[in-house]
Amino acid sequence: MTVDDTGSGTGAHPAPGGEPGRTAGPVTDATSARAAAAGEARQDAGTGTRPNHPNHRPDDRQDVGGGRPGDDRYATGSDPRGDGQGGGARPDVRPDARHEANGRVDPQAEPESEDDPLALRLEGLILGAERRYTPFQAARSAGVSMELASRFWRAMGFADIGQAKALTEADVLALRRLAGLVEAGLLSEAMAVQVARSTGQTTARLAEWQIDSFLEGLTEPPEPGMTRTEVTYPLIELLLPELEEFLVYVWRRQLAAATGRVVQAADDEEMVDRRLAVGFADLVGFTRLTRRMEEEELGELVEAFETTAADLVAAHGGRLIKTLGDEVLYSADDAGVAAEIALRLIETMANDETMPELRVGIAFGTVTTRMGDVFGTTVNLASRLTSIAPRDAVLVDGAFAEELTRTGDAPASEAEAAEAAAAAEKEGEEPPSYRFALQPMWQRPVRGLGVIEPWLLARRSDDA
């Protein structure tokens, strides 16, 4: 979904060379469309010309909004509160030669322009608008100070670009919306920065993954002699509208699920500090593997592990918090769900000869959730349990064992299970059915957490 200037959410990216506000219809002949767009990309790349974009004005150099370089509030890159993030996504631009080292503008100097024409075409296709504003002009047009604009941009992962003309109407609208949420009292300024940061970090990884995956999937270009760069334009042209709609759909689904969990919380405190089961799953001997395997093989192994783990966690009702290459972190509201996920992971990896052995640690307790991540002693304990777990085994802490016993998913001991079965048989009733078995292990000290008593989690033999 794109957004028009009115904020109605009904705008559309103009098709290159077409009419503004119209998007491509269903692809009836993908090969022809890609080949045609690819040929155009090759021609533009070879001649160095700009595309016939509906919004393109070859000599558009008017300044919008003016500027007051001497005002400290509008100093480029200022971030006195120190919570911005530099070094992120950077438009493919060179600093404007008209701007001197002291930030003042030399109106007589001409701006440098050494951008790749194809890169500019790709940017125009994706953003749906041409470069029009410097950061100062964009901030002024949005009605916010340069300081606040810089905080928002850095939070989103955008690097400082000086005062190069690299921003579009969409950048102005984004600033205006964030600032408007703050002015309306719907978000505090700090919360608005967090929203920008969480969105930027999530979508940055998504964008990198998508481009890498799409280009790696192209074993042969549609036309002989085409480079990967030239193939990118027609590929993005076909995929962009579909992926945009899909992204919004998935986001709404995830937002609905997260909102539902918050609504079901018992009180406001539980919305932030909740009792959860937290599990770490770690590939054994991964460091040694990195020395023996080729980079491509190692990448395929990590991708297969992350994909398998993500699928299992989602299928059984857990939440994948993050992946760390050889390790995944997940959580679940229910201890039984977390236990099932852990054992399924062990069993699935054990049946795959290409995968190394796996070990899992789970802890249960109060967890602080923030920006999609989890923190606290419970998380640290789960990590420590993973590091001491045997190969192809699951270790849990005492609180997790108690929770499984309380919910009837596991007996406190096998002796108690036998007594319960005998009593039920004597009364002519069905004996209790347990999914899991718990075996106490030797107490041992754990760095930073003192002495703990881990329990070995397994399936009960009659439920295997």
Side-chain angles (χ1 to χ4, degrees), residues 308-320 341:
T308 300
D311 289 347
L312 286 173
V313 170
H316 292 280
R319 293 185 297 282
L320 186 68
I341 291 171

Side-chain angles (χ1 to χ4, degrees), residues 4 42 90 95 116 161 195 223 232 242 285 287 412:
D4 59 15
R42 292 184 63 193
R90 183 184 184 95
D116 186 339
I161 58 172
V195 168
E223 290 186 8
T232 303
E242 303 301 325
T287 303

Side-chain angles (χ1 to χ4, degrees), residues 64 84 100 124 269 272 295 297 357 402 415:
V64 179
E100 302 171 349
E269 184 176 346
V272 179
E295 288 186 6
E297 292 178 310
E357 295 159 307
E402 290 178 7

